[in-house]
Amino acid sequence: MKITFLGTGTSMGVPVAGGFRREKLSHDPRNERTRCSVWIQVHGKSILIDAGPEFRIQSIRSRIKKIDHFLITHEHMDHVSGIDDLRVYSYINKAPIPAYTSGQCIESIHKRFDYMFGENKYPGSTSLDLTEVTTSFKLDEKIEVTPLPVKHGDLDILGFRVNDFSYLTDVKHIPDETLELIKGSKVIALSALRWEPEHPTHLSIPEAVELLESLNVPEAYLIHMNSYVDHESTNKRLPDHIRLAYDMLSIEI
C-alpha cells in the first residue's frame, strides 16, 4: 500500500490568503500546506480521501490518472469543494465514481452541488454514486474499509481505516468504540491544529500526541496544521514515531 499526502494544511491553507504570516515561517517548502487530502494506492486500486479547493493542483503534481473509489470525511468546503474537479475521472471511468460517506454528508453534497444530481444534472458535471456507510465494507477481497466515527466539535464526521492505515482529520474527540476500531493499525494520520491554545473543534498537537501514545500505533503522522506550526522545529519536539506529514510525502505499508 502506498499513501501520498496530497495536502496537510488547515481549512485556510498555509500560508493563508494574502500570504499573512508567511514571513514568520522558515523557507522550508514543507511549511507550504494545501488543504487536507490523501491518495491511497493498494492492490491496483486508486482511492481518494477528500477533495479540497486545491485538488486539481494536487492531482497534477501527484499524477493521479484514475480514481476508483472516493471516501469523504465530512461536508466542510475544505474537504469537498474539489468535487467539481473529479469530473475528468468520471469521464475516464465512463461511470459515476463510487463515493462513501455519512448520510448527513450526502444530504449536504446534494444541496451544495445540486447541479450534479437529479433530472436537471448539468451535462459534463462530475458523476458520483454516493453511498452511506456505517460499518466496514470491502472494495474487493483484499481491501477493507472501516468508517471511524469521530467528533469535530459538535459535528459527527468520519475517519477511515483502509486495511492497516487509519486516517482521521478534523478531530476533537474519538469515542471509545472508534478507538477499538483503530487499534492494530500500522500507520495512523491524525489532525493536530497547533501547539496552543486548545481549540473547541480540533485537537492541539499535545492532545494528539497524548492520544497517539495511548493507541500504541508504531508510526504516526500529524496533519491539518496551521500557519503557526513550523515543520522542522516541531518535529524536533515530537516523539520519534510521530512526525508531521507534509504535502507530497509518500509512505508505504
Side-chain angles (χ1 to χ4, degrees), residues 1-6 38-39 41 62 219 221 245-253:
M1 177 190 294
K2 182 177 180 181
I3 298 154
T4 302
F5 293 91
L6 302 177
V38 70
W39 177 35
Q41 299 169 79
S62 300
E219 187 175 351
Y221 294 89
Y246 55 88
D247 290 24
M248 291 297 292
L249 168 66
S250 288
I251 62 172
E252 296 203 12
I253 301 177

Side-chain angles (χ1 to χ4, degrees), residues 161-172:
R161 177 172 176 171
V162 181
N163 289 356
D164 291 323
F165 174 62
S166 289
Y167 182 85
L168 301 105
T169 184
D170 291 48
V171 176
K172 182 60 179 181

